Amino acid sequence: SILSSEICKNVDFRCVATGQRYDIDAVTNDEKIRSDHAMGYFIFTNAAIDYMLQDNRLPPFKLELVRWDSWLMAFLSSSDEINVIDLSKVLKVKHYTDFKDSFVSKTRTDLWNLKLADQRFRIGRIEYSNYRMEQETWALVPLMNATVLQKKISVNRLRWTFDEELEKITNFKYTSGPLPIGKYGCLCDLLRVLSPSGNVEAELSMEKSLIKHCSQPDLIKQSSKQRFGEKIFFRNEFFSIVSGKEMNDLQLFMLHSKLFSENASECCVLTRASDAPKVIPDKFWAFDDKNKYYTCLVGQY
């Protein structure tokens, strides 16, 4: 059994089994697997429970909301003192539901978990389990060890801290994704350009914490190495938040996008074209028919 395996003995029997959930449409009987960020179940040994309850290690998440499972997964799998085993292939949990509501998040109205979950939730994926049990042999196969996950958190700390701050500033209405490191230089440029005086710290007080991150030498160094020709997509809402002006009108939004790209010519803004004008405003813009957005032509305008 798992409990008697060397994998559990090596961590004083602090083992946790987890797996993805399968949703079954109650009407059509169609089946969909949940996201690899969404765990369907956790099975704990007593030793694992004792470990988690020590020193207030677990935030008081609400289980009906998002992120608690991905955060818990990341917390467990990146620990040197616990082993997480993926049983998705051998223990298939099905949940009968209505697909219309199955993937709708309650987080839109309740931000409790979003405020509690730190950046670790980003590595809370089923593929980052420490081991996986194979269906044919029931053998426990190594996947991702805790040291690799700890390094992953460390390497991405700059990006994830920036994104964490951005979510809080915008009350979790906007997230950068997070972006590839090269695009953070573009994002910092955008904050400066949208300020009427060009002095972001003076004009946009709520963005001061973001500018603090923009000024970090390591972020500047890393982003400057990889930013040439970067294309970055910003939703209209984000322009409104940082500029203090409504950007509902696509023409106005594109005007500000162009201003940004002209002042930071290594970067390029993508803007969604669901409400696009019939005529492209000028040669600065090209329309991508496949993906339905306008893109600026860096170095060609």
Side-chain angles (χ1 to χ4, degrees), residues 51-70:
Y51 171 80
M52 291 187 298
L53 293 180
Q54 292 175 8
D55 303 321
N56 296 316
R57 288 187 169 113
L58 295 182
F61 289 120
K62 294 182 180 180
L63 299 188
E64 74 272 17
L65 300 179
V66 298
R67 288 195 185 175
W68 73 269
D69 49 348
S70 50

Side-chain angles (χ1 to χ4, degrees), residues 241-300:
I241 290 169
V242 298
S243 68
K245 300 176 182 178
E246 288 298 325
M247 295 287 175
N248 296 326
D249 180 80
L250 184 64
Q251 296 281 357
L252 181 62
F253 173 65
M254 293 173 73
L255 177 64
H256 279 263
S257 300
K258 181 177 179 180
L259 176 66
F260 160 58
S261 296
E262 287 177 335
N263 281 272
S265 58
E266 291 179 351
C267 305
C268 173
V269 174
L270 308 182
T271 177
R272 294 294 182 195
S274 57
D275 187 28
K278 294 181 180 179
V279 180
I280 298 175
D282 55 41
K283 293 181 180 179
F284 176 81
W285 297 98
F287 181 63
D288 185 318
D289 188 61
K290 180 181 178 181
N291 297 304
K292 303 301 181 187
Y293 57 63
Y294 282 100
T295 177
C296 60
L297 304 176
V298 178
Q300 299 181 33

Side-chain angles (χ1 to χ4, degrees), residues 66-112:
V66 298
R67 288 195 185 175
W68 73 269
D69 49 348
S70 50
W71 186 94
L72 180 58
M73 178 68 179
F75 166 76
L76 296 171
S77 60
S78 63
S79 170
D80 295 314
E81 301 183 63
I82 285 185
N83 276 327
V84 179
I85 303 167
D86 173 19
L87 298 185
S88 299
K89 292 187 175 182
V90 297
L91 182 57
K92 193 172 183 179
V93 174
K94 298 183 179 181
H95 177 71
Y96 283 87
T97 185
D98 182 348
F99 274 176
K100 290 186 297 182
D101 299 321
S102 177
F103 295 90
V104 175
S105 172
K106 298 182 180 70
T107 303
R108 293 171 186 163
T109 56
D110 193 331
L111 305 177
W112 180 266

Side-chain angles (χ1 to χ4, degrees), residues 115-132:
K115 293 177 180 179
L116 286 177
D118 61 32
Q119 57 193 250
R120 277 179 289 188
F121 84 90
R122 298 191 183 283
I123 63 164
R125 310 168 69 99
I126 194 69
E127 64 195 68
Y128 291 161
S129 301
N130 306 124
Y131 295 88
R132 180 180 63 225

